[in-house]
Amino acid sequence: MLHAQELLHQLNGCRFGHPLYVYQQIGSTSDRAKLLAENGAPEGLLIVAEEQTAGRGRGGRAWLTPPDSALAFSLVLRPALTAEQAARLVMLAGVAVCEAVEQVAEVQPRLKWPNDVLLNGRKFAGLLAESALRGEALEYVVLGIGLNVSWAPAPEQVDFPATCLQAEAGREVDRAGLLRAILLRLEARYGQLSDEAAFPTLFADWRARLVMLGEPAELRLETETLAGVAEDVAADGALLFRLPSGEVRRVLAGNLHLRPASAV
Ligand code: BTN
């Protein structure tokens, strides 16, 4: 079980993670963090839960967090960014999670546009950045991160193959240590969000970790599914998706699936 005292000890010296609220069970850490952010919670506030009963993923999908098996947390950030720069938070979170997992478990995660973290082609973590605006500026962002540590959902529970960190790493992973590592990587790269000279490094590191670039893919959008090639990403986080006609669509949100080469 995750214990508040142990987490407090682990987060000693971290910039993020204060104040810290630890729940044995909650609906969604992101819902709670949003409520607190709306009421003026400071940057760095962290909600961690052992179990979520109404965990949310992108597009209103459920995110499962059974007890004793996962890491689920939401962090309030107040970066100096405009609304158009909001996708930078997902880049930051993706790179930070990959770097922390590499350190802690000695495996090499990759990212799947826009929000998934993969090991050996299977998803073991998801990122959810929810922003509130004040005019053209971001007022706050709730960064929700969920990692399957020792359990993964069954195939019928998900629309993309899932796995868990321990199965891929072949070793036990201490969740409190993993949380500390992620927060430290978020802290180390946080300045790259709003420093225009440093942001290209964050963008390049995110792009370098993306799977499927240049590959035939199926892009499932809200109202249609497109077949084509996931050609590249742009600095605003958009996917550049080439259609068979040669037209390149800029897409800010959607679900990417690999297509077998024979279907091209
Ligand atoms: C996705 O892959 O669609 C994103 C999943 C994000 C899940 C995390 S778990 C902690 C936080 N609380 C939630 O309800 N969702 C996020």
Side-chain angles (χ1 to χ4, degrees), residues 57-87:
R58 271 190 325 118
R61 282 186 291 268
W63 180 265
L64 302 171
T65 313
D68 222 12
S69 70
L71 191 54
F73 62 92
S74 297
L75 176 66
V76 173
L77 295 173
R78 296 184 180 276
L81 295 177
T82 64
E84 291 76 47
Q85 295 168 328

Side-chain angles (χ1 to χ4, degrees), residues 24-260:
Q24 288 312 308
Q25 189 190 67
I26 197 171
S28 156
T29 55
S30 285
D31 287 348
R32 181 58 50 93
K34 268 162 102 171
L35 193 72
L36 295 174
E38 282 297 328
N39 287 295
E43 172 161 283
L45 177 139
L46 181 68
I47 311 275
V48 184
E50 179 67 56
E51 178 183 6
Q52 293 187 115
T53 54
R56 297 182 288 103
R58 271 190 325 118
R61 282 186 291 268
W63 180 265
L64 302 171
T65 313
D68 222 12
S69 70
L71 191 54
F73 62 92
S74 297
L75 176 66
V76 173
L77 295 173
R78 296 184 180 276
L81 295 177
T82 64
E84 291 76 47
Q85 295 168 328
R88 294 183 182 192
L89 269 302
V90 173
M91 299 178 195
L92 171 73
V95 172
V97 167
C98 287
E99 290 176 343
V101 166
E102 261 170 25
Q103 280 173 8
V104 168
E106 292 179 35
V107 285
Q108 265 77 50
R110 308 282 309 270
L111 296 168
K112 184 165 82 69
W113 182 92
N115 294 50
D116 299 342
V117 194
L118 313 181
L119 277 170
N120 300 319
R122 291 163 182 267
K123 175 167 173 172
F124 77 101
L127 318 165
L128 189 67
E130 297 176 299
S131 311
L133 304 180
R134 183 179 291 264
E136 275 306 291
L138 288 191
E139 189 187 354
Y140 68 80
V141 178
V142 168
L143 197 54
I145 301 183
L147 297 99
N148 304 330
V149 176
S150 59
W151 170 91
E156 63 275 12
Q157 294 176 296
V158 286
D159 66 351
F160 191 84
T163 190
C164 67
L165 180 52
Q166 288 193 176
E168 301 301 327
R171 61 156 89 169
E172 243 184 66
V173 174
D174 171 56
R175 290 178 293 158
L178 179 60
L179 175 62
R180 176 182 170 84
I182 295 172
L183 292 175
L184 286 175
R185 290 316 300 156
L186 286 170
E187 176 180 333
R189 286 189 173 264
Y190 193 57
Q192 295 178 339
L193 280 183
S194 51
D195 174 348
E196 291 312 308
F199 171 68
T201 302
L202 176 62
F203 174 66
D205 291 345
W206 175 67
R207 183 172 174 274
R209 289 196 183 262
L210 288 173
V211 294
M212 291 169 63
L213 290 189
E215 293 188 41
E218 198 172 82
L219 181 61
R220 298 182 194 161
L221 304 175
E222 233 167 62
T223 52
E224 58 182 337
T225 295
L226 304 172
V229 172
E231 199 157 85
D232 206 348
V233 282
D236 64 355
L239 177 71
L240 306 177
F241 195 77
R242 183 177 292 279
L243 301 175
S245 65
E247 180 199 341
V248 176
R249 287 254 192 118
R250 284 175 53 84
V251 187
L252 276 166
N255 295 305
L256 207 46
H257 293 259
L258 264 183
R259 276 195 314 152

Side-chain angles (χ1 to χ4, degrees), residues 4-24:
Q5 280 311 322
E6 192 204 338
L7 286 178
L8 257 182
H9 178 70
Q10 279 283 356
L11 303 190
N12 198 9
C14 290
R15 168 176 176 188
F16 300 139
H18 314 282
L20 169 70
Y21 297 88
V22 183
Y23 291 86
Q24 288 312 308

